[in-house]
Amino acid sequence: HTTAAGAVERLAQAAPSGVLHRYPVDHFGVFKERVARDIARDQVKFLRHSQVLPQESTARMQTSGSTGD
């Protein structure tokens, strides 16, 4: 199955915090390293903006073992 572009656009507009990104690739193009990296970067950016993930500076402190004391 595929999803019609119009349905995706309507869903993104209806979602309170929805963001729609378009990438200039076909269905299988998302598996190319450069495109996959771009998509992952955009997803992390969205999740940080939505406060689902900590901001980058906070995440670095947590992974470096710093307690902030």
Side-chain angles (χ1 to χ4, degrees), residues 9-44:
E9 290 169 358
R10 287 190 299 278
L11 180 61
Q13 290 174 352
S17 299
V19 177
L20 177 64
H21 286 271
R22 289 187 174 93
Y23 301 91
V25 296
D26 63 11
H27 178 79
F28 293 104
V30 299
F31 297 106
K32 293 181 179 177
E33 183 179 351
R34 178 186 55 79
V35 178
R37 188 174 46 244
D38 291 347
I39 292 169
R41 181 200 61 227
D42 291 341
Q43 289 177 338
V44 169

Side-chain angles (χ1 to χ4, degrees), residues 5 8 18 20 22 24 31 34-36 39-40 44-45 47-50 52-53 57-58 60-62 66 69:
V8 172
L20 177 64
R22 289 187 174 93
F31 297 106
R34 178 186 55 79
V35 178
I39 292 169
V44 169
K45 183 178 175 182
L47 292 171
R48 285 190 172 135
H49 177 76
S50 302
V52 174
L53 291 177
S57 60
T58 305
R60 277 192 204 143
M61 286 177 24
Q62 291 173 351
S66 173
D69 292 338

